[in-house]
Amino acid sequence: MRFALDTKHKKRINMTSLVDVVFLLLIFFMLTTSFINQRGINLAIPDKSGVKSSWQGAILIRPDKNGMVRMNTFKLEISELADELSPMLAASENKKVIVQPYKDVDLQTLVTVLDEIRFSGATAISLIK
Amino acid sequence: MEFKIQKESQEQLDLTPMVSIVFLLLIFFLVAGTVRSPAFWDIKPPDSSSNEHVTSKNLQIYLNQNGLIAFEKQTVSLASLITILDKESATIVNLQVHADKQVDSHKIITLMDALEKTIVNQITLVTTTKD
């Protein structure tokens, strides 16, 4: 007995359903994936032990909503802060900074100021109202 | 003149290259991105030059541009947030704060002052890179 070998018409796997599923997965991941580079700033909550660390001699920095910063007694722009603060911190004993934003200062301004202060080499930053 | 009509072996569209490209894209999105949970509010975090990476394992709280606080997809007042945090297990040491860049900075300080009474001893303010 002889069977006819169907060499001409090879059975092909139907890929349509596979393509459907893969497209669905692709669309799901395209919509839910974010490429935002998230970073963080760690802020310590003040000590709860009741032992208050000394902030005597710390430098007071007060950012305002116009992009200016008042440092101890003089006023300067945020961009100049690091240049002015670095030598002051180098000379100071405890390298501590107190940041007290004025009213209506947005978070972006505060974060920019915190960046500058950390860049200047402060060891401790305290945030007060 | 007569033309042969090829009825039997109809040309099938070859899907292989398309499947390859789609798989490649799929793998790219799987590997390169992080799946984000649907945001409660549209919060734009502030830019910072900080290089510290954040993990999503910590408890997340949200602070929108009006100073409203959300915890686990519910708007809560500061007082009730403190109550909730007190009830949580004693293992929370770090709280991740997603605050909008437009929010009044005093709101963050108020939040930090309120957290002084809880077991939280550090918050991570989520930021994005500048570029």
Side-chain angles (χ1 to χ4, degrees):
Chain A
M1 211 163 119
R2 262 184 94 171
F3 291 101
L5 280 174
D6 201 10
T7 42
K8 282 270 164 77
H9 298 274
K10 269 194 200 166
K11 282 257 163 120
R12 296 180 66 159
I13 303 168
N14 192 357
M15 293 226 263
T16 323
S17 41
L18 173 87
V19 173
D20 279 352
V21 171
V22 170
F23 261 122
L24 255 171
L25 281 172
L26 180 66
I27 290 163
F28 169 76
F29 281 103
M30 278 174 82
L31 294 179
T32 55
T33 304
S34 67
F35 292 98
I36 302 167
N37 224 341
Q38 275 197 341
R39 296 296 154 94
I41 298 178
N42 293 329
L43 300 169
I45 302 294
D47 203 4
K48 299 171 190 94
S49 57
V51 185
K52 294 267 184 262
S53 52
S54 171
W55 287 87
Q56 195 90 42
I59 300 162
L60 177 71
I61 290 177
R62 302 204 65 189
D64 68 17
K65 59 178 174 182
N66 304 319
M68 301 294 284
V69 173
R70 194 180 283 274
M71 180 163 73
N72 285 349
T73 49
F74 52 99
K75 214 172 176 182
L76 46 118
E77 281 187 33
I78 291 178
S79 50
E80 304 166 334
L81 186 62
D83 293 337
E84 295 291 328
L85 188 61
S86 300
M88 279 179 81
L89 280 172
S92 95
E93 263 177 44
N94 53 14
K95 300 193 187 343
K96 284 177 175 174
V97 176
I98 297 172
V99 181
Q100 186 180 25
Y102 282 99
K103 229 175 168 296
D104 298 326
V105 173
D106 59 19
L107 188 63
Q108 180 63 71
T109 312
L110 179 66
V111 167
T112 312
V113 168
L114 290 178
D115 274 352
E116 295 282 328
I117 295 170
R118 287 186 334 152
F119 181 70
S120 310
T123 53
I125 303 170
S126 172
L127 271 174
I128 55 170
K129 264 197 282 188
Chain B
M1 208 163 126
E2 231 178 88
F3 290 99
K4 246 191 202 165
I5 299 168
Q6 238 183 355
K7 255 191 183 168
E8 288 285 303
S9 58
Q10 266 187 334
E11 287 268 323
Q12 266 204 4
L13 192 69
D14 190 12
L15 288 175
T16 324
M18 187 183 75
V19 174
S20 308
I21 288 170
V22 170
F23 263 118
L24 255 171
L25 281 171
L26 181 66
I27 290 163
F28 168 73
F29 279 101
L30 273 167
V31 173
T34 45
V35 177
R36 63 159 186 235
S37 53
F40 183 65
W41 283 317
D42 185 25
I43 282 170
K44 291 183 181 68
D47 305 327
S48 157
S49 55
S50 169
N51 273 323
E52 281 170 67
H53 290 271
V54 290
T55 54
S56 49
K57 285 171 192 153
N58 299 316
L59 281 182
Q60 321 270 325
I61 64 169
Y62 296 85
L63 189 68
N64 77 354
Q65 57 262 62
N66 303 319
L68 291 171
I69 301 168
F71 177 72
E72 294 190 335
K73 306 210 186 295
Q74 273 187 339
T75 314
V76 288
S77 69
L78 188 56
S80 49
L81 177 73
I82 300 302
T83 323
I84 294 164
L85 288 177
D86 275 338
K87 279 182 198 150
E88 291 279 339
S89 65
T91 50
I92 331 166
V93 282
N94 195 335
L95 201 63
Q96 214 162 300
V97 181
H98 297 258
D100 195 279
K101 60 167 122 180
Q102 302 278 316
V103 74
D104 186 356
S105 51
H106 281 199
K107 301 273 184 196
I108 281 279
I109 303 172
T110 311
L111 176 70
M112 287 177 71
D113 286 347
L115 290 174
E116 216 173 315
K117 297 179 196 80
T118 68
I119 45 168
V120 178
N121 59 23
Q122 181 177 278
I123 64 166
T124 305
L125 191 63
V126 176
T127 58
T128 55
T129 46
K130 267 174 184 158
D131 35 346

